Amino acid sequence: MSGPKKTILSGMRPTGKLHIGHLLGVLNNWVALQDDYNCFFEVADWHALTSEFANTKAMTGNIKEMVTDWLAAGLDPEKSVMFVQSRVLEHAELHLMLSMITPLPWLERCPTYKEQINEIKDKDLSNYGFLGYPVLQAADILMYRATVVPIGQDQLPHLELTREICRRFNNIYGEVFPEPVHLFTKVPKLLGIDGRKMSKSYNNSIYISDSKEEYTKKIKAAFTDPKKMRKNDPGHPVGCPIFMLQNIYSLEKTGEIKKDCESGVLGCVDCKKILLENFEKGIAPIREKREKINARKDYAEEVLREGTKKAEIAAKKNMAEVRETVFGKAYV
Ligand code: TRP
């Protein structure tokens, strides 16, 4: 890549250990971007607080588990800045300033907001902070003048709001922030072992940190094509969660597996055996790295402490400019 490196910012709410959907859909992509961009990866604990404000006890442990998975997957503190959002207080300041210029209807019509308010009934989401979730996300991105934001499809409405807020800020005060663009990952959403979307809340996930015994049990019990009752019945690999994993982990063998499943030569038990072997090859190095990281007691915390210091330096510099633009020199 020529010219100065562009800046990337992305983040995750600390929900604890990550599943292989996160690994394949997000982390591998982040890891690949580290060499070509200035990368900031954020632990979005304030975002988690917008819905988990009454359950903060698990937060510290969740952050540690998540960042251990980041490191095991290959995020490198020498290349990327990994930091905790709530430890960089400038995020709160920028969030507040952006909240002044964000019209309420933009937030009220945000599809993710509407959907969650309608669908999530077991949590109280009628708070001010939850409505402002995308404003906080805009502050994360604009704070580092990130121009590229790797996200999943579900986050697109938030990035669009970031762009609108960015334009409005620049219109009112002058060109301060570059407008960011999204970068989608190509990997499709992984299915869980029950055939639904892989998600922690469905209890159907294979975790990066699962031991060989744990994931073997899950894969052996996993849902496959319901029409393939007996070994020799013709199967339908498309939509089968095991075949989805074969596609990723069995690589050049996938074509043969598909053909043999469809023709009834390959039964689900043997198909799972092939997958288990290839999955182990793919996941073992990550699991082993995770174990090594865990053996260095406070390593994840140390990475975050150092990363947060770096993020803070960048945030302070940018906020000084924002303050000056909005209020004039006396405020710097
Ligand atoms: N809202 C994002 C999610 O739930 C997490 C996030 C917070 C984020 N701040 C961000 C993602 C900034 C990209 C950029 O996945």
Side-chain angles (χ1 to χ4, degrees), residues 117-229:
I117 287 285
N118 286 333
E119 275 175 23
I120 301 178
K121 297 290 178 211
D122 58 337
K123 279 182 208 150
D124 181 7
L125 299 178
S126 62
N127 53 332
Y128 175 55
F130 186 70
L131 179 67
Y133 186 110
V135 185
L136 186 58
Q137 190 159 341
D140 295 341
I141 296 164
L142 300 179
M143 179 70 82
Y144 302 94
R145 303 205 164 146
T147 53
V148 181
V149 185
I151 44 169
Q153 287 269 0
D154 60 314
Q155 292 294 312
L156 190 59
H158 295 160
L159 198 73
E160 272 163 3
L161 261 170
T162 298
R163 283 196 279 261
E164 286 181 276
I165 294 171
C166 171
R167 283 198 288 271
R168 190 168 160 105
F169 187 99
N170 289 346
N171 274 333
I172 298 174
Y173 301 111
E175 289 291 319
V176 174
F177 298 121
E179 213 173 296
V181 295
H182 60 271
L183 183 70
F184 281 151
T185 46
K186 282 167 237 96
V187 185
K189 279 245 178 308
L190 217 58
L191 296 176
I193 55 169
D194 58 358
R196 294 188 290 172
K197 182 185 111 183
M198 189 176 284
S199 159
K200 193 163 199 171
S201 47
Y202 291 161
N203 206 6
N204 65 358
S205 303
I206 296 170
Y207 291 99
I208 297 173
S209 51
D210 275 353
S211 66
K212 193 171 177 183
E213 291 67 37
E214 281 168 323
Y215 78 68
T216 301
K217 218 163 105 192
K218 290 179 186 175
I219 288 177
K220 281 191 175 162
F223 168 100
T224 53
D225 174 12
K227 293 206 196 86
K228 193 171 166 75
M229 305 281 279

Side-chain angles (χ1 to χ4, degrees), residues 5-11 38-43 46 81-92 94 98 136-149 162 176-178 180 307-319 322:
K5 282 185 183 175
K6 291 182 181 169
T7 298
I8 274 189
L9 181 129
S10 197
N38 290 320
C39 291
F40 288 86
F41 297 118
E42 174 190 276
V43 177
W46 273 337
V81 176
M82 289 169 251
F83 71 100
V84 181
Q85 180 187 39
S86 73
R87 299 295 87 217
V88 182
L89 300 180
E90 281 73 14
H91 283 251
L94 187 55
L98 298 180
L136 186 58
Q137 190 159 341
D140 295 341
I141 296 164
L142 300 179
M143 179 70 82
Y144 302 94
R145 303 205 164 146
T147 53
V148 181
V149 185
T162 298
V176 174
F177 298 121
T308 301
K309 276 189 210 156
K310 290 183 197 158
E312 199 177 24
I313 292 170
K316 278 195 188 313
K317 183 169 168 284
N318 281 333
M319 267 323 287
V322 173

